[in-house]
Amino acid sequence: MSTLARARCRAKAHPLAMDAVLAASVLLCMVAGSFVEPRHQDSVSWALRTPDALSLVLMALGAAALVFRRRAPMTVLALTGAVSVVESVTGDPRAPVAMSAVVALYTVASTTDRPTTWRVGLLTMTVLTGAAMSAGSLPWYAQENLAIFAWTGIGATAGDAVRSRRAFVQAIRERAERAERTREEEARRRVAEERLRIARDLHDVVAHHIALVNVQAGVAAHVMDKRPDQAKEALAHVREASRSALNELRATVGLLRQSGDPEAPTEPAPGLDRLDELTGTFRSAGLHIEVARADQEGTTLPAAVDLAAYRIIQEALTNVQKHAGPRAKAEVSVVRVGPNIEITVLDDGSGENEDRHSGGGHGLLGMRERVSALRGTLTTGPRYGGGFRVHAILPVRNRTPTGEDPA
C-alpha cells in the first residue's frame, strides 16, 4: 500500500483528528498572513505589521470552528462567515479571517447537493464581498475585496467538483457490485435449472426401466417352473431393459463431466423417432398399447420439444404400467395442430390410478416442469368411467421474452 493510500485510510479512520490538523494549518496560514501588509503606491510592496488582539481572537474562533466542519457544516459556515464579516468591518488593515469561511464553504459544497451549493455559495459570496467592499478604508474595487469574491467562488466550485467525483465513483462501485451479484444469481439459477433437468431425466429413465424390469422379473418368477421358455424370454427383456437403463444413465451422467474428463457418450437424446421402440418395451412387458400419429413425420421438431414429448409419453406409460392394473390398455396419440404438437396418453385402468395423485412420486411434477419450460400446457386427471388422461400441448416454436428459441 502506498503512502498516500495509508494516509487516506488514517483520515477515514480518524476524521476529527484530521479536521483538527486542518484547523491548525488554516490558523497558522491566517496568522502568518496577518503579519504582512500590502502597500499600493507606484508598485505593489509588502511590509510587516502586528495584528491587533481582536483579529487574533477572530482567527482563533474561525479555525476552532473548522474542527467540527464534518459534523455541522452549515453551522460552521455561519460561524466562520460571521467572524469574517466582523473582521471586514473592524479590521484595518484586515487579517485573512475569510480563509476559514472559504474552507467551511468548501465543506458544505462537498457534502450537500448542487442546488444547496449554489444557494449557499451565492449567499456567502454576496455577504462577505459586500461587507468587504462597503467597510474599511480601501475602495470597493481594491484587490483584497475582489480576492474574497474569487476565493469564495473557488471554494464552492472545488467542493462541488469533489462531491460530483465522489458520487461518480460510488455509482461505478455500486454498478460493479450489482453486476457481480447479477452474475452470481444468474450462475446459481442456471445451476439450479440444470440440476432440475438432470433430476427429471434420471427420474424418467429409472422409473421407466425399473418398472419394466419389475414386471418382467415377476413374469419370469411366475412361469419359471411350468414354462421355462417364456421365463427365458422375460429374463431377456429384463436384460435388455437394464442395458437400456444403463446406457441412458451413462449419457445423462456424462453431462456432468468436466473438460478434462474422459470423453462422454455421444448418443443423441431420445425423441419421437424412437416412439416405436419405447412402446415396444411396454408391449413386451404385457401392456396393450395403441399408437396414433398425425404429426407430419417428415418434419423435424426442435430438440427440446422432441425430448419433452418422448419423456412425457415415457412417464405416462410408466404410470399406466405401475398404477392402472394388469389388464389396462393405453392409447397414445401424437398430433400436430398448427404451431403446436399435442401429446395424449389415455388408459382404462380399473380404479388403481388414485396413487398418481398421492404426491409420493415426482412423475407428474417432472412432466409439468418440462411443459412449463417450453411455455406449454399440461392437463392430467382421472377419466369419466375410469382410467387416467395425460394431455400436453407443446409449442413447436417457443419464443422467450428475449426473442430466442430455447430449443
Side-chain angles (χ1 to χ4, degrees):
M1 184 181 293
S2 63
T3 305
L4 181 59
R6 286 195 295 269
R8 288 178 178 175
C9 292
R10 294 194 189 98
K12 291 181 180 179
H14 307 284
L16 189 62
M18 296 304 300
D19 288 340
V21 172
L22 175 64
S25 301
V26 172
L27 178 61
L28 181 62
C29 293
M30 288 190 297
V31 172
S34 65
F35 281 90
V36 179
E37 177 184 2
R39 291 181 177 178
H40 302 275
Q41 295 176 352
D42 296 336
S43 60
V44 179
S45 62
W46 305 88
L48 293 177
R49 67 182 179 90
T50 301
D52 54 16
L54 180 59
S55 296
L56 291 175
V57 172
L58 294 176
M59 286 187 288
L61 290 176
L66 293 179
V67 177
F68 307 99
R69 67 188 186 95
R70 297 177 195 260
R71 297 184 178 181
M74 289 292 186
T75 304
V76 171
L77 177 60
L79 180 59
T80 55
V83 297
S84 299
V85 170
V86 172
E87 175 63 20
S88 298
V89 174
T90 60
D92 189 19
R94 301 190 190 110
V97 181
M99 184 182 298
S100 60
V102 172
V103 176
L105 180 59
Y106 165 84
T107 304
V108 171
S110 63
T111 56
T112 58
D113 53 6
R114 181 161 295 173
T116 303
T117 300
W118 276 96
R119 290 194 296 267
V120 175
L122 288 175
L123 178 62
T124 304
M125 189 184 304
T126 302
V127 171
L128 295 186
T129 306
M133 289 181 175
S134 60
S137 58
L138 297 176
W140 67 269
Y141 54 83
Q143 184 177 358
E144 289 80 357
N145 298 336
L146 298 178
I148 294 177
F149 178 84
W151 279 109
T152 51
I154 291 174
T157 305
D160 183 71
V162 170
R163 179 196 55 78
S164 299
R165 182 181 180 280
R166 188 185 300 128
F168 177 72
V169 172
Q170 182 65 22
I172 292 178
R173 185 180 295 112
E174 291 178 355
R175 191 179 301 113
E177 293 175 354
R178 187 165 54 251
E180 184 66 24
R181 288 195 301 268
T182 302
R183 282 195 296 269
E184 293 176 356
E185 292 172 358
E186 179 66 15
R188 287 195 295 268
R189 185 185 66 82
R190 289 181 180 275
V191 169
E193 289 179 352
E194 186 66 14
R195 290 173 60 186
L196 285 175
R197 189 189 66 79
I198 294 175
R200 286 196 301 264
D201 286 343
L202 289 176
H203 173 270
D204 293 342
V205 170
V206 173
H208 164 59
H209 291 290
I210 295 302
L212 295 181
V213 167
N214 181 57
V215 171
Q216 295 290 356
V219 171
H222 182 69
V223 300
M224 179 66 73
D225 296 331
K226 297 181 180 179
R227 287 174 285 178
D229 293 340
Q230 187 174 353
K232 290 181 180 180
E233 182 180 356
L235 290 175
H237 288 307
V238 169
R239 182 176 58 187
E240 183 64 28
S242 61
R243 183 185 297 112
S244 299
L246 289 175
N247 290 336
E248 292 200 34
L249 284 174
R250 189 179 299 112
T252 302
V253 176
L255 298 174
L256 302 177
R257 296 181 184 270
Q258 302 295 326
S259 58
D261 292 342
E263 184 178 357
T266 58
E267 181 181 357
L272 291 179
D273 56 340
R274 295 175 56 182
L275 181 59
D276 293 337
E277 178 184 346
L278 175 65
T279 55
T281 59
F282 284 100
R283 289 192 181 101
S284 64
L287 180 63
H288 180 75
I289 303 176
E290 296 181 0
V291 179
R293 297 190 64 174
D295 57 335
Q296 302 175 6
E297 298 185 16
T299 60
T300 302
L301 295 176
V305 177
D306 204 18
L307 176 61
Y310 179 89
R311 293 301 189 194
I312 289 171
I313 296 174
Q314 182 185 52
E315 179 59 32
L317 292 178
T318 301
N319 287 340
V320 174
Q321 184 75 48
K322 292 167 60 178
H323 304 297
R327 289 181 294 275
K329 297 180 181 180
E331 299 178 6
V332 178
S333 67
V334 182
V335 181
R336 178 72 177 269
V337 181
N340 304 323
I341 185 167
E342 297 188 10
I343 309 296
T344 306
V345 179
L346 308 174
D347 69 74
D348 58 354
S350 56
E352 299 180 29
N353 51 14
E354 288 79 6
D355 294 339
R356 306 185 207 188
H357 294 290
S358 63
H362 300 280
L364 295 180
L365 177 61
M367 284 192 285
R368 197 170 303 280
E369 289 175 349
R370 289 184 183 275
V371 174
S372 298
L374 296 173
R375 303 294 179 88
T377 58
L378 177 71
T379 305
T380 61
R383 300 173 61 194
Y384 178 75
F388 202 81
R389 177 177 181 268
V390 175
H391 180 68
I393 301 177
L394 304 177
V396 175
R397 291 196 174 274
N398 178 31
R399 294 290 178 179
T400 64
T402 60
E404 298 179 355
D405 190 347

